[in-house]
Each structure stands twice: as structure tokens, then as C-alpha cells.
Amino acid sequence: MNKIMVALCGAGVLMTSSQSFAAAFQLAEQNVSGLGRAYAGEASVADDASVVSRNPALMNKLEGTQLSVAAMYVKPDVSLQGISTNNGVPASALNNSSIAPSAVVPSAFITTSINEQWSVGGGVYSQFGLATKFDADYVAGQIAGETEIVTINTGLAASYQVNEQWSLAFGLNHVYADAKIIRNLGANNLGVPSDTEVVNLEGDDSGFGWNIGVVYNIDADNRFGFHFRSETDITFEGTFSNQLPAVTPFNGTAGKKLPGSVAITLPAIAEVSGSHKLNDQSSVHYSILWTGWNSFQTLSAQVENVGTVFSKDENFSNSLRYSIGSDYQWNEALKLRAGFAYDESPADEHHMSISIPDTDRVWYAFGAEYQLSKVSSIDFGVSIIRGKTQRFVEKDNAGSEWGFKSKGHASVFGLQYNRTL
């Protein structure tokens, strides 16, 4: 592996946050009932079976067997404007109006009451994911290319009603993750086409984690909730290849695939929420969500019989998300929702890059629940997410410096069906 290959491997493998809408590459979108409140009160509101994902101790508040199925359409608007280069390439060549494709994030949950004290439930959903794609001939191909990671969390949980005030829950989670990374050579003076693949890495892995939940009821109208989810270790194992010639000075693989891996730790998450009924029509909810991003300090990749092909400092810090929202029961059939949230970015301002163009962001949300019958309902939700404009310079190991101004916004639209079985 020569210096060019190492530099290109190190350009943000597995991590791009442009299609992620909580901190870094974390996803907040597990349900639509919470989407309309900007996910305020998720550890204390017992809307439907989706409580499995954010606090299963709330399952005791649901009667019988409950089913919820949801889909959220995420439309990102992430753009880059070039502001400087040091290699003679015009800064305008870095402009890109959209680097993140739209996506659908589905989820499904079921809960059932065993008796007055015990409830169990399960769910399939995602908590982390991303996707970005640049043209193969993008001039800064060493730090651009194509990045995709998909995670599927399958969780099972049980809750126990200790007394009128306290409920406890414990859950186990299986996380499947799949990733694909492609990097291209970009502008160069090596006599090699700019769209030449210098990194093609695909892999997957599974990991296990656990979660606990607590609910404390002050009275019938006031409740607090706490939920903690453990870290999950993931080692993406798959194949590495490139299109560089297998001759000096390139020493590439010429398309030959070699075993490769990248290890990451999905962070721990903790949430504290409160819910208060103000009167017969109105309730208010709030949350503080902590994500332990300090587990993500260095990113490195290994190739069999080669060793470490890169090591890249990320220096993420723990982040907080603050949200507040409300419900208003318009009539017997219709409930309205609204919410606001502020997300802190965990990214180090000295390590900003187009592979992780993360920023602080705010959410403006509204939604509604409509009762179709005594046993079924649907939820609608919309969130408008606005990120701060960032300016930064990213340098690759080939010596080029690329200056960017990035903007990251998104819209999320959701639909959910709930039914008592």
C-alpha cells in the first residue's frame, strides 16, 4: 500500500452524517407519534407499542396486545460550496447541490400484557444510518465517493409494574450493520483517470447490547421516565479492493479483493423525560437525551496481510439533545401535536470534513393522531430540521487542501398505523 492508497482509505471510511438527523450518524426516527413532538417525552409518553424502542417500562401503560407499524420518508438537503483550494483547481469545482439521497426508515413494534404486573414486547427499527454519494469524477474524490451504512435493531424487552408509582424494564438488542465505502482518485497528476476507484470496501457484522427503563408516576397526570441503552461493538468484515495498477509506484490491487475490516463502537444512549397533563385537553412533554460519542475517537481499517491501512482521529465528544412538545386533544377522534428540539453536534471543529459534515441543528415539528375506530388509529408527523452553516478546510494526505462551506437541512414525513389485537 503506498501513501496515496493509505490517504484515500483514511478519508472518512464508514462515517458520513448527511442522512442522519440526530447527532452525527444517529437516527431519532423510530416512530411517527413522537415525530410530531420532535421526540419530546419519549421516555415518559405511552402512546403506542413503539415504547419498546425508547422506554419499554412504559409497556405496562398499554392494555392488551398492541401493534404499531411506521414508515418515515427522509428528504435531506445537504449541499457544499467550494471556497478555496491550494492545487490550482477552481474552488467552484467543489460545488455540489445534494450529497445525500432520500430514504425511507421503517419500524414495527408489538407489545402484550401478560398480567397486571408483567408486559413483554419486541420491535424492529434503526438507530444509526447514513448515505452520501458524490459523482465518481468529483475533483476531491479522495475525501468524497460513496458511503452507506444501514443498521437494523431487533429488540426484545420485559417490564414489571412494581407498584402504582414504579415500573422497571430490561431489554436485549441484536444489531445488524452493513456498510459500503467507495472512494475515487479525483484531481491528480498521475496520469490516472479521476474516477478510478482507490477504495472499495464492503462488509457487515452483528453485535449485541442491552437496555433498561424506569418509569415513576407522581400521580395520574404527572410522570417521569428514564432509559439507558448500552454501547454495541461492530466490526465490519468484508472485502477491500481498488482499481490502481498492481505495479510500482501504485502497488494497488488491480481489482483483486482482499479481506478487510473496520471496527467501530455504536455509542451508549440515555434519556430523561417528563410528561404532565395540564387539563383534559392539553399535555406537555420534554426530554434530555445524552449520547456517549466519546467512544468514537479514532477510526482505522485493517487489511489482511497488509495491516493498518489508515488511522484517522475523529475526537467526538458526548452530545445532548433537548426537546419540548405538547399534545392537544381536539375532539374524541383527533389529537394534535407540536414540538421543538435542539441537537448538539459531537464533531470536533478541528476535524470537520465532508465525510462527517455534522453541525448543531434545530427541529420544528407537528403531527396528529386520528382514531379510526375503537381498536385502530393512524399517526401523521412532519419535522423540519435546520442545521448551521459550517466553514472548514479538509486536507488529504496527497497534500491538497479543500475549503468548503456546508449546509445541512432535512424534512421528515411519517405515517404510522396502530391497532389493538
Side-chain angles (χ1 to χ4, degrees):
M1 298 280 174
N2 70 348
K3 184 177 180 181
I4 294 175
M5 290 180 60
V6 174
L8 297 174
C9 287
V13 172
L14 296 181
M15 299 300 155
T16 307
S17 62
S18 300
Q19 195 168 296
S20 307
F21 302 108
F25 56 99
Q26 185 179 2
L27 295 174
E29 296 83 5
Q30 277 92 56
N31 59 44
V32 177
S33 48
L35 178 66
R37 289 190 305 268
Y39 295 105
E42 284 295 279
S44 55
V45 181
D47 281 323
D48 47 60
S50 66
V51 297
V52 171
S53 66
R54 298 291 282 263
N55 190 356
L58 292 164
M59 291 191 296
N60 297 93
K61 305 299 179 184
L62 306 175
E63 297 181 357
T65 299
Q66 305 283 334
L67 173 70
S68 294
V69 179
M72 285 139 285
Y73 175 71
V74 183
K75 182 176 176 55
D77 180 14
V78 183
S79 62
L80 295 172
Q81 178 183 341
I83 57 177
S84 66
T85 67
N86 71 340
N87 52 17
V89 175
S92 60
L94 297 173
N95 295 350
N96 197 309
S97 60
S98 180
I99 66 174
S102 300
V104 174
V105 182
S107 62
F109 305 92
I110 189 169
T111 65
T112 188
S113 298
I114 297 176
N115 53 42
E116 292 183 357
Q117 291 180 303
W118 287 96
S119 295
V120 295
V124 181
Y125 51 98
S126 180
Q127 288 188 300
F128 299 93
L130 59 96
T132 59
K133 186 174 183 179
F134 292 78
D135 292 339
D137 59 354
Y138 187 65
V139 293
Q142 301 181 18
I143 56 175
E146 182 178 351
T147 307
E148 181 178 302
I149 178 171
V150 176
T151 66
I152 301 173
N153 188 314
T154 303
L156 296 174
S159 65
Y160 178 73
Q161 183 82 36
V162 179
N163 52 41
E164 291 184 359
Q165 281 73 45
W166 293 95
S167 296
L168 307 175
F170 178 78
L172 294 174
N173 305 284
H174 173 268
V175 180
Y176 170 78
D178 181 89
K180 177 174 70 172
I181 304 298
I182 297 175
R183 295 289 183 265
N184 306 97
L185 188 56
N188 66 90
N189 58 3
L190 304 173
V192 179
S194 60
D195 61 354
T196 300
E197 288 186 5
V198 293
V199 172
N200 188 313
L201 179 63
E202 298 185 48
D204 62 1
D205 190 31
S206 295
F208 291 90
W210 54 270
N211 62 297
I212 58 172
V214 179
V215 169
Y216 176 69
N217 299 282
I218 299 175
D219 53 38
D221 296 331
N222 299 277
R223 180 188 305 148
F224 293 104
F226 170 78
H227 184 237
F228 178 84
R229 186 175 297 274
S230 71
E231 294 181 349
T232 304
D233 293 325
I234 297 290
T235 299
F236 294 97
E237 296 184 346
T239 59
F240 168 84
S241 66
N242 60 44
Q243 295 175 341
L244 292 173
V247 297
T248 304
F250 299 100
N251 298 323
T253 73
K256 180 181 178 181
K257 294 184 177 181
L258 303 174
S261 65
V262 174
I264 65 172
T265 297
L266 300 179
I269 302 170
E271 183 171 11
V272 177
S273 299
S275 294
H276 308 281
K277 188 174 181 180
L278 305 179
N279 52 48
D280 290 342
Q281 287 79 38
S282 302
S283 298
V284 64
H285 315 279
Y286 48 87
S287 288
I288 299 176
L289 186 144
W290 169 91
T291 304
W293 281 114
N294 64 352
S295 64
F296 185 44
Q297 293 296 304
T298 302
L299 187 65
S300 63
Q302 312 292 322
V303 174
E304 190 172 298
N305 299 323
V306 176
T308 301
V309 296
F310 79 88
S311 182
K312 184 174 184 286
D313 291 334
E314 299 293 349
N315 294 338
F316 270 26
S317 301
N318 297 337
S319 66
L320 292 172
R321 182 181 194 274
Y322 308 90
S323 56
I324 185 167
S326 62
D327 299 328
Y328 182 79
Q329 193 71 46
W330 183 266
N331 55 39
E332 290 186 1
L334 181 64
K335 178 189 290 186
L336 303 178
R337 301 185 175 107
F340 172 84
Y342 177 76
D343 263 331
E344 291 182 347
S345 170
D348 186 336
E349 63 179 6
H350 301 296
H351 291 77
M352 296 296 298
S353 71
I354 60 171
S355 64
I356 309 182
D358 198 36
T359 182
D360 297 343
R361 54 182 67 82
V362 295
W363 293 55
Y364 305 95
F366 59 92
E369 177 184 359
Y370 185 76
Q371 201 72 32
L372 297 172
S373 68
K374 291 183 179 180
V375 297
S376 64
S377 65
I378 55 174
D379 289 290
F380 306 92
V382 177
S383 282
I384 307 301
I385 305 165
R386 307 291 293 179
K388 291 182 179 179
T389 298
Q390 294 277 33
R391 289 175 173 82
F392 57 92
V393 174
E394 185 169 6
K395 182 178 180 179
D396 60 41
N397 284 0
S400 293
E401 294 183 357
W402 312 94
F404 297 94
K405 181 171 73 171
S406 68
K407 295 181 180 180
H409 310 308
S411 301
V412 184
F413 308 89
L415 179 64
Q416 178 174 309
Y417 176 73
N418 312 294
R419 187 174 183 85
T420 302
L421 303 178

